[in-house]
Amino acid sequence: MTYLHDQMASTGKVKRSKDLPQGAERLKEEHRKVVKDCRSQIEHWNKVEKDYESLQDRLRTLPDKLSYDIMVPFGPLAFMPGKLVHTNELTVLLGDNWFAKCSAKQADTLVEHRKKHVKNALDDLQKVMKNFQNKDDFTDDLEKLAGDTEDFVDIREEVINEEEFTKGKRLAHKPNSKPKQEYLSDLEEDTEKKEGDEERTTGLLSEEELWARLDELECEEELQDERYRHAVRINTGKNTTLKFSERNEQKVQAKRKKKSGKSNGLSPHESYKITSPADIYRVFVDLVNGEPIPRKSILKSRSRENSVCSDTSESSTADFEERRAAFGRSWSHDDATHSDTSDGITEEESPTGTSPRTNGRFEAFTGTVIEKEPLPCSIPYLTIAPPALPTIPERKLEEVGPEALQEPPKRMSKFKATRLHQT
Amino acid sequence: MAEAIHKKLQSELEKYQQMQKDVSKSMSSRQKLEAQLTENNIVKEELALLDSQNTVYKLIGPVLVKQDLDEAKATVSKRLEYINGEIQRYESLLKEMERKSEQHREVLSSLQQEYQRAQGQAVGKV
């Protein structure tokens, strides 16, 4: 390519108009030249290989007889009858004016070694030729594409990023919108590049496809969330999480396993793999009764919950955590996805969540598994809750709806239990 | 005015072409060195395949001089090192030349532009 540039520079003329077709022509010419060169070289090396093979044949038959009767070339014009003797002794040219006396078999080994080199050279040449052949075809495609012929058209679309992605997105989750913007901008870049891909005919992905992609990502996140159930992050503020009985955790785990049908052997590792801001929130969870509850703020510990309920017993705070957990899960889920789909998840989780908890309620002081928050208690929580992300109340309300049906019979007993605990 | 520029352009062009020739010359000598390098590598490998029972000869002029196998190996290795050194020297030389020719190319293109402008002006005047 520098040669091309030099040529153009030295002629003193650089054609600006009709650049592409001429350039493409020139490029193809160069490609073809290289391919032709390669072909001739390959031919040459093939010949060399054949010569070596016939030489090997000769070497193998030479020591058969003690002497051969031959016509010896005498000068450039005459031959003379003579004998070929010492048929096993050969003086071999090793290269660079070095000679060695060898037997026929040793010479055979040397020839084998040289043939290896020839084969390598042949392989390299074949590769180069294939490469340039591909480049040639590629420029053909490129020409077709750029030429705006019937088959391929380069569709370009100016996309305004901001509008599309602030739709349905909370401002607090701005950091999450970036990846998608990048994704879009990458698409833009791609379309602007004149790569001769036939895929480029589709141009920029349409909005619908983008939303579909987002839905896919949501489903992926759901699956991830299942696995992240076991993220154990000790609350730095209060160490109540340490007291939770392992049995409960195991039960919950078993339940989850059954439900998700996946092995959770990797969860401890997975829990620390951070690929998106949502993952960070997931890591900062408080473990309450075997349920990882994401905190509202990474910086804050659970100190604020105590103020909400009148009783400051740990079970009630655990109670509280529990309440938060239910929609905390969905909240963390919501980080990266739309609110619509996560509804389904919270509904899913609540039925499974309740059963193990009811069993373990009276087992241990700290290990009480508490059901989902009852409706009346949730309301004061709403009002007094620390400034959380605006959607958390929404989440709660949505979640509380389906759960309210389940809760009524158990509601009384729970308060009783906490009161019993206090006394 | 245009004529002066034209003359300058021509001289620069010649200089540039000379430089290109130098570059190609050093390129070809470097390629020769590369060929010698591969050859000596093959000789080294083949000497390794032999044993001390075979006599090794070196062709010096019209004479085949007997050599010791180990001596021959040492000589070949030394020659290889020498060739490598030469190649590196040529590499640096080539880089220098490339750089200079780049500069020259820029000068040429700017002169070209000036000339074209001058020509345009001359046409405008007339």
Side-chain angles (χ1 to χ4, degrees), chain A residues 2 5-6 8-14 91-103 106 109-111 113-114 117, chain B residues 13 16-17 20 39-40 42-43 45-47 49-51 53-59 64 67 72 75-76 79 105 112 116:
Chain A
T2 54
H5 187 88
D6 291 349
M8 286 175 124
S10 58
T11 55
K13 289 184 188 116
V14 180
T91 307
V92 181
L93 171 66
L94 304 172
D96 195 26
N97 288 341
W98 287 98
F99 290 83
K101 263 214 164 103
C102 323
S103 72
Q106 285 170 332
T109 323
L110 285 173
V111 171
H113 175 254
R114 283 190 205 175
H117 276 276
Chain B
L13 202 67
Y16 183 69
Q17 279 170 349
Q20 286 292 98
E39 199 183 2
N40 272 288
I42 292 182
V43 172
E45 286 165 21
E46 290 186 351
L47 279 176
L49 285 171
L50 296 171
D51 54 27
Q53 202 249 324
N54 314 96
T55 38
V56 182
Y57 298 92
K58 171 115 180 129
L59 183 70
L64 266 181
Q67 296 275 353
T75 315
V76 172
R79 182 141 169 86
R105 218 178 298 167
Q112 230 173 279
Q116 281 177 352

Side-chain angles (χ1 to χ4, degrees), chain A residues 250-350:
Chain A
Q250 280 170 15
K251 273 197 187 160
V252 172
Q253 276 188 16
K255 250 325 192 215
R256 293 266 172 260
K257 259 188 189 166
K258 263 191 258 169
K259 189 193 167 192
S260 63
K262 290 184 195 132
S263 74
N264 292 309
L266 290 173
S267 45
H269 299 286
E270 282 178 3
S271 63
Y272 296 121
K273 190 171 86 176
I274 295 180
T275 53
S276 74
D279 297 347
I280 298 174
Y281 280 115
R282 255 187 233 107
V283 165
F284 282 93
V285 291
D286 306 321
L287 192 69
V288 178
N289 295 328
E291 284 294 300
I293 306 160
R295 295 187 226 165
K296 290 202 182 114
S297 154
I298 296 172
L299 301 171
K300 289 185 183 169
S301 63
R302 294 182 325 168
S303 51
R304 282 279 228 140
E305 290 99 54
N306 295 340
S307 60
V308 181
C309 271
S310 55
D311 50 32
T312 53
S313 67
E314 291 195 32
S315 57
S316 69
T317 56
D319 214 342
F320 235 41
E321 296 283 29
E322 234 269 44
R323 254 174 265 136
R324 285 203 315 152
F327 56 83
R329 250 173 286 128
S330 49
W331 166 68
S332 66
H333 186 83
D334 197 21
D335 280 350
T337 65
H338 298 297
S339 41
D340 319 317
T341 44
S342 44
D343 271 344
I345 297 149
T346 57
E347 283 178 1
E348 260 183 291
E349 289 166 354
S350 46

Side-chain angles (χ1 to χ4, degrees), chain A residues 5-209:
Chain A
H5 187 88
D6 291 349
Q7 261 205 350
M8 286 175 124
S10 58
T11 55
K13 289 184 188 116
V14 180
K15 290 200 181 113
R16 291 281 170 220
S17 62
K18 288 201 248 178
D19 226 0
L20 187 58
Q22 281 196 354
E25 268 306 311
R26 192 84 181 72
L27 189 66
K28 280 204 280 194
E29 223 179 278
E30 291 290 317
H31 284 329
R32 275 184 217 130
K33 224 200 310 180
V34 173
V35 171
K36 220 165 62 174
D37 278 340
C38 275
R39 281 217 176 92
S40 63
Q41 284 214 12
I42 285 175
E43 233 180 84
H44 169 256
W45 284 113
N46 273 326
K47 195 161 145 291
V48 168
E49 206 182 355
K50 267 199 206 97
D51 283 345
Y52 272 131
E53 272 171 29
S54 54
L55 177 65
Q56 274 186 316
D57 281 338
R58 172 65 69 240
L59 286 174
R60 280 174 204 141
T61 58
L62 207 53
D64 288 346
K65 280 181 32 180
L66 280 169
S67 64
Y68 288 92
D69 290 319
I70 54 167
M71 290 300 273
V72 185
F74 220 60
L77 301 162
F79 287 92
M80 229 188 86
K83 275 194 153 103
L84 198 63
V85 293
H86 293 292
T87 49
N88 204 31
E89 292 165 41
L90 297 155
T91 307
V92 181
L93 171 66
L94 304 172
D96 195 26
N97 288 341
W98 287 98
F99 290 83
K101 263 214 164 103
C102 323
S103 72
K105 279 217 179 121
Q106 285 170 332
D108 197 29
T109 323
L110 285 173
V111 171
E112 274 297 331
H113 175 254
R114 283 190 205 175
K115 270 205 318 191
K116 236 196 288 177
H117 276 276
V118 171
K119 273 207 184 81
N120 283 338
L122 264 174
D123 285 338
D124 287 340
L125 280 171
Q126 292 278 13
K127 266 189 231 167
V128 169
M129 197 174 80
K130 213 167 51 151
N131 242 338
F132 273 88
Q133 196 64 48
N134 287 340
K135 278 193 197 176
D136 201 20
D137 296 334
F138 183 74
T139 49
D140 274 338
D141 288 338
L142 182 65
E143 233 188 335
K144 252 195 265 166
L145 202 68
D148 283 338
T149 52
E150 336 83 57
D151 290 351
F152 307 110
V153 182
D154 206 7
I155 302 173
R156 292 180 195 200
E157 209 181 293
E158 288 300 316
V159 180
I160 309 154
N161 286 344
E162 316 310 321
E163 294 172 17
E164 300 315 321
F165 284 94
T166 51
K167 171 187 173 183
K169 286 268 172 232
R170 284 166 273 145
L171 290 174
H173 292 277
K174 230 180 198 172
N176 284 331
S177 63
K178 262 190 200 155
K180 296 182 187 122
Q181 284 187 357
E182 282 168 18
Y183 177 70
L184 240 197
S185 57
D186 280 341
L187 285 173
E188 266 196 68
E189 281 170 30
D190 281 344
T191 52
E192 280 165 25
K193 279 191 209 152
K194 275 200 166 208
E195 305 288 1
D197 272 2
E198 289 168 35
E199 296 155 30
R200 295 287 157 251
T201 55
T202 60
L204 200 60
L205 286 179
S206 66
E207 286 176 35
E208 290 80 44
E209 290 176 65

Side-chain angles (χ1 to χ4, degrees), chain B residues 45-108:
Chain B
E45 286 165 21
E46 290 186 351
L47 279 176
L49 285 171
L50 296 171
D51 54 27
S52 48
Q53 202 249 324
N54 314 96
T55 38
V56 182
Y57 298 92
K58 171 115 180 129
L59 183 70
I60 302 174
V63 182
L64 266 181
V65 182
K66 207 183 214 182
Q67 296 275 353
D68 194 19
L69 183 66
D70 298 323
E71 256 184 64
K73 284 189 188 161
T75 315
V76 172
S77 318
K78 269 198 215 122
R79 182 141 169 86
L80 263 174
E81 278 174 32
Y82 168 74
I83 291 174
N84 275 319
E86 284 283 292
I87 285 180
Q88 278 176 6
R89 194 169 65 86
Y90 269 96
E91 282 262 305
S92 51
L93 200 69
L94 265 173
K95 253 193 242 168
E96 256 308 307
M97 284 202 181
E98 267 293 327
R99 209 173 43 82
K100 271 195 223 151
S101 65
E102 271 288 336
Q103 283 178 352
H104 229 90
R105 218 178 298 167
E106 279 168 28
V107 166
L108 261 178

